[in-house]
């Protein structure tokens, strides 16, 4: 089967990482190609896709070209590949793929208006949401990346969709032996005897980083724990200026896996997610997770409820966050996960392959 993937760029981010995991799993058995809609940025993963034998082709030169004849340019590029199915990811891809005379699938990676408002402000978010929903109605199949995103699409926008949960590569994200954990802790400079908390995703309002730092500092009065925050972000300098004891800001980290394998607890105070890859990565590395009570986090907690490896707190209440952190530091937090196979990218890719086959059999297109 020939499958074409359409996405703005392959800049390193959650949706691109999801796409890479799909392609990585399906490339041995299918003919795949990725079509982008703008020049690749410095952090592009294009080379990673090409290393799998998957060509990356720029179908549209950029934003202006997308607005002025972008749909026809993309259609011509796709016609040369002759795909059986076209899979779109992201706002611009939805708009350019909505009228293709081919079977089309769109994956929605966020909760539309809520995420747009955080990133762009309410007036633009309202226009983007309306435009995206109109485009999604033209697709043969809409996929939600989590149960909570699926509920938003159905209840707010009356969009029929199928849920295929995001997954992570559990050949990479896997627990380390106790011997390796000890070695990693020494190599990473983790303080001997300290309880190590890790938060990934950087410093931003959306990630709730500043309230998390304040709550941790209050909970860690005894000083026996360290909170390592991985990633830069727009609030990096403000977070650093807090000068909170026991908090280590790493900035950009090329490989988070050693930190996840060596730490004792993963923490996220995020205010908005689609299906949080950072949480799936941490759990797959064997870390228990302390998470904010947003719907995608609660989805993960429900999925693994019998293992007691995820606990949630109200991120809007710093007191509740402090109490949850204090309990975890006192040994009353979540347990390490035992079985997280449901979070695997292999499961995700298998579900997509089934969806592609069904869509190709019944046909579609505008």
């Amino acid at each position: 089967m020939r499958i074409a993937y359409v996405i703005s760029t392959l800049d390193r981010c959650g949706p691109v990482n999801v796409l890479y995991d799909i392609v990585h799993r399906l490339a041995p058995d299918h003919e795949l190609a990725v079509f982008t809609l703008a020049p690749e940025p410095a952090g592009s993963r294009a080379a990673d896709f090409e290393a799998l034998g998957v060509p990356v082709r720029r179908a549209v030169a950029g934003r202006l070209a997308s607005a002025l004849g972008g749909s026809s340019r993309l259609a011509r590029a796709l016609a040369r590949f002759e795909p059986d199915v076209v899979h779109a990811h992201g706002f611009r891809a939805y708009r350019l793929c909505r009228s293709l005379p081919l079977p089309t699938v769109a994956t929605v990676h966020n909760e539309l208006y809520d995420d747009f408002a955080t990133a762009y402000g309410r007036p633009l978010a309202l226009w983007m949401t309306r435009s995206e929903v109109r485009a999604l109605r033209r697709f043969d199949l809409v996929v939600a990346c989590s149960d909570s995103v699926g509920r938003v699409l159905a209840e707010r926008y009356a969009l029929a969709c199928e849920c295929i949960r995001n997954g992570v590569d559990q050949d990479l994200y896997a627990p380390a032996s106790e011997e390796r954990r000890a070695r990693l802790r020494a190599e990473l400079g983790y303080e001997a005897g300290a309880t190590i908390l890790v938060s990934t995703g950087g410093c931003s309002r959306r990630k709730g980083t500043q309230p998390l730092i304040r709550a941790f500092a209050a909970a860690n009065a005894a000083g026996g724990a360290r909170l390592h925050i991985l990633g830069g972000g727009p609030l990096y300098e403000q977070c650093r200026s807090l000068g909170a004891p026991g908090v280590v800001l790493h900035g950009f980290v090329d490989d988070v896996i050693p930190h996840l394998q060596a730490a004792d607890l993963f923490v996220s105070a995020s205010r908005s997610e689609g299906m949080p890859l950072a949480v799936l990565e941490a759990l797959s590395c064997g870390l228990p997770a302390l998470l904010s009570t947003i719907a995608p986090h609660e989805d993960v907690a429900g999925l693994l409820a019998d293992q007691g490896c995820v606990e949630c707190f109200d991120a809007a209440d710093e007191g509740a966050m402090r109490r949850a952190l204090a309990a975890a530091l006192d040994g009353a937090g979540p347990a390490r996960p035992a079985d997280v196979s449901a979070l695997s990218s292999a499961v995700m890719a298998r579900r997509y392959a089934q969806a592609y086959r069904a869509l190709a059999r019944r046909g579609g297109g505008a």
Side-chain angles (χ1 to χ4, degrees):
M1 182 181 296
R2 287 188 174 187
I3 306 158
Y5 297 94
V6 181
I7 193 166
S8 289
T9 72
L10 295 174
D11 193 12
R12 193 177 298 272
C13 64
V16 171
N17 294 339
V18 169
L19 176 56
Y20 177 83
D21 283 337
I22 296 170
V23 167
H24 175 236
R25 296 287 178 179
L26 299 187
D29 301 312
H30 302 278
E31 188 173 350
L32 313 179
V34 177
F35 294 82
T36 61
L37 308 174
E40 290 299 319
S44 171
R45 294 198 66 185
D48 295 337
F49 285 79
E50 290 169 340
L52 298 174
V54 176
V56 176
R57 303 168 181 172
R58 185 162 23 131
V60 180
R63 293 182 185 276
L64 182 60
S66 292
L68 301 174
S71 295
S72 58
R73 289 187 180 91
L74 175 61
R76 288 194 295 271
L78 289 170
R80 289 190 287 272
F81 179 61
E82 299 181 339
D84 298 298
V85 174
V86 177
H87 188 171
H89 295 259
F91 179 79
R92 291 172 62 204
Y94 306 149
R95 287 172 57 81
L96 296 188
C97 292
R98 60 186 169 178
S99 300
L100 290 172
L102 295 162
T104 53
V105 54
T107 293
V108 180
H109 294 277
N110 61 19
E111 294 186 353
L112 302 190
Y113 177 80
D114 293 345
D115 278 12
F116 291 152
T118 300
Y120 305 110
R122 292 184 177 182
L124 184 55
L126 187 60
W127 174 82
M128 291 180 71
T129 300
R130 288 173 175 169
S131 180
E132 183 160 319
V133 169
R134 283 196 299 269
L136 290 170
R137 293 194 193 284
R138 305 283 295 276
F139 279 76
D140 298 300
L141 174 65
V142 175
V143 172
C145 70
S146 69
D147 293 331
S148 59
V149 168
R151 289 192 296 271
V152 168
L153 295 179
E155 294 169 8
R156 292 190 193 175
Y157 309 112
L159 274 170
C161 64
E162 178 178 342
C163 177
I164 299 179
R165 295 188 192 95
N166 285 349
V168 297
D169 186 344
Q170 293 182 337
D171 294 329
L172 291 175
Y173 293 92
S177 66
E178 285 303 315
E179 180 182 353
R180 176 163 170 74
R181 286 190 71 235
R183 187 166 64 250
L184 285 173
R185 289 170 78 96
E187 291 172 357
L188 294 168
Y190 286 175
E191 189 171 326
T195 300
I196 303 298
L197 285 66
V198 167
S199 181
T200 60
C203 306
S204 66
R205 181 177 179 276
R206 180 172 176 248
K207 296 296 182 181
T209 318
Q210 289 172 301
L212 173 60
I213 290 173
R214 290 192 294 266
F216 171 79
N220 189 37
R226 299 291 180 267
L227 171 61
H228 290 259
I229 297 176
L230 313 183
L235 298 183
Y236 180 82
E237 291 301 329
Q238 291 93 320
C239 290
R240 190 171 68 169
S241 70
L242 292 175
V247 176
V248 183
L249 295 169
H250 289 260
F252 173 75
V253 174
D254 185 56
D255 185 5
V256 302
I257 295 174
H259 290 272
L260 297 177
Q261 291 176 328
D264 299 301
L265 179 68
F266 179 83
V267 186
S268 172
S270 184
R271 300 178 178 185
S272 177
E273 297 284 352
M275 181 63 167
L277 290 181
V279 174
L280 308 189
E281 291 165 356
L283 289 164
S284 295
C285 285
L287 271 183
L290 194 60
L291 310 175
S292 54
T293 51
I294 58 174
H297 286 168
E298 292 176 323
D299 284 348
V300 176
L303 194 62
L304 304 175
D306 60 331
Q307 300 184 45
C309 58
V310 179
E311 292 183 5
C312 294
F313 58 84
D314 183 359
D317 181 347
E318 284 191 34
M321 197 187 318
R322 175 187 56 76
R323 290 189 293 274
L325 286 163
L329 296 181
D330 285 341
R336 285 188 174 270
D339 179 9
V340 291
S341 56
L343 310 180
S344 167
S345 61
V347 174
M348 172 185 68
R350 188 162 56 247
R351 292 280 312 280
Y352 273 113
Q354 292 167 351
Y356 298 152
R357 286 193 292 269
L359 194 56
R361 281 196 300 269
R362 72 172 185 258

